[in-house]
């Protein structure tokens, strides 16, 4: 079996990244994590990835005159790693159309809501304010519209009495760490296509 080469894009702590790295350590997992790219040099996930012997890079968008130049440089880094697939894992930048087109069908994201509900930020606060009984997370293909691409997997959790955005986020994060590796497995093995 030839394993697909995967890069992960992060901006922060990288707990989903860690879940993907852990899953990819299984010998029968169809993908290997070959690089982690952050738009923040201080992202704690970078050190975690480096600790696993994975190539890392950080690129600050503010250092580039335009978003296109920033994203072209990201593409160069990803191509230097000979990447087949890109996983966004808490990457807090909206990507431009050229970059998204470049990786169309080969780039996935995890979002902390049951899409199409609650696109964008502060999903847990908004779900609690609406009094919903269920919330969750979605792994989806990345398309030009924010959080709009086709879903690959979702997980649901109940909203419990007394939940805060933090307690709800914690309950959902457990599910994120379960479905993201499973969705990447499905993509890398050819079980799912855009
Ligand atoms: C997760 O909640 C993910 O759903 C969202 O950003 C957060 C990233 O957390 N896209 P982590 O960096 O993976 O811990």
């Amino acid at each position: 079996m030839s394993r697909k080469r995967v890069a992960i894009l992060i901006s922060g702590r990288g707990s989903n990244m860690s879940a993907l790295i852990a899953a990819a350590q299984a010998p029968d997992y169809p993908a290997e994590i070959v690089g982690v790219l952050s738009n923040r040099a201080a992202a704690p996930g970078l050190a975690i990835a480096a600790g696993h012997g994975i190539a890392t890079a950080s690129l600050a968008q503010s250092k580039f005159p335009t978003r296109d130049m920033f994203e072209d440089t990201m593409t160069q880094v990803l191509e230097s790693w000979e990447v087949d697939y890109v996983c966004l894992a808490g990457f807090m930048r909206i990507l431009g159309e050229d970059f998204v087109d470049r990786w169309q069908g080969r780039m996935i994201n995890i979002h902390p809501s049951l899409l199409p509900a609650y696109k964008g930020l502060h999903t847990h606060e908004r779900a609690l304010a609406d009094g919903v009984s269920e919330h969750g997370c979605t792994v989806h293909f990345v398309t030009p519209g924010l959080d709009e691409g086709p879903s690959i997997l979702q997980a649901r959790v109940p909203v419990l009495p007394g939940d805060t955005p933090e307690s709800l986020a914690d309950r959902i994060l457990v599910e994120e760490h379960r479905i993201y590796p499973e969705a990447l497995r499905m993509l890398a093995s050819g079980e799912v296509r855009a």
Side-chain angles (χ1 to χ4, degrees):
M1 173 188 72
S2 90
R3 305 171 90 204
K4 300 295 184 191
R5 297 173 63 81
V6 173
I8 305 174
L9 269 51
I10 63 167
S11 299
R13 67 186 164 178
S15 71
N16 279 288
M17 173 206 77
S18 295
L20 293 172
I21 291 171
Q25 278 165 354
D28 60 347
Y29 196 77
E32 60 178 317
I33 311 304
V34 297
V36 173
L37 174 59
S38 174
N39 66 323
R40 285 184 52 235
L46 280 177
I48 298 170
H52 286 279
I54 295 170
T56 62
S58 88
L59 294 173
Q61 185 169 340
S62 58
K63 298 249 165 73
F64 294 84
T66 66
R67 180 166 77 180
D68 279 352
M69 290 167 90
F70 166 65
E71 292 179 354
D72 286 349
T73 307
M74 286 209 296
T75 294
Q76 282 167 24
V77 172
L78 297 174
E79 285 179 346
S80 77
W81 290 337
E82 299 180 3
V83 160
D84 299 303
Y85 296 105
V86 176
C87 291
L88 307 182
F91 185 70
M92 302 303 285
R93 281 275 162 201
I94 292 175
L95 294 163
E97 217 163 305
D98 285 354
F99 188 84
V100 172
D101 282 349
R102 169 81 182 69
W103 296 99
Q104 186 96 273
R106 299 192 295 139
M107 179 158 63
I108 60 177
N109 180 44
I110 181 124
H111 183 76
S113 79
L114 294 169
L115 290 173
Y118 305 112
K119 298 171 184 170
L121 297 174
H122 309 301
T123 57
H124 309 311
E125 285 86 340
R126 287 154 57 208
L128 286 176
D130 287 347
V132 297
S133 60
E134 264 191 338
H135 192 36
C137 50
T138 305
V139 180
H140 64 95
F141 285 104
V142 178
T143 57
L146 182 68
D147 301 326
E148 277 182 357
S151 294
I152 300 171
L153 281 179
Q154 288 193 316
R156 295 169 180 276
V157 304
V159 176
L160 301 178
D163 257 340
T164 62
E166 293 72 30
S167 65
L168 189 51
D170 287 349
R171 191 174 311 120
I172 290 172
L173 199 61
V174 174
E175 297 302 311
E176 294 185 28
H177 296 166
R178 183 175 65 76
I179 68 169
Y180 209 176
E182 175 60 9
L184 177 61
R185 187 197 64 70
M186 290 164 67
L187 182 66
S189 65
E191 214 171 284
V192 71
R193 268 194 210 112

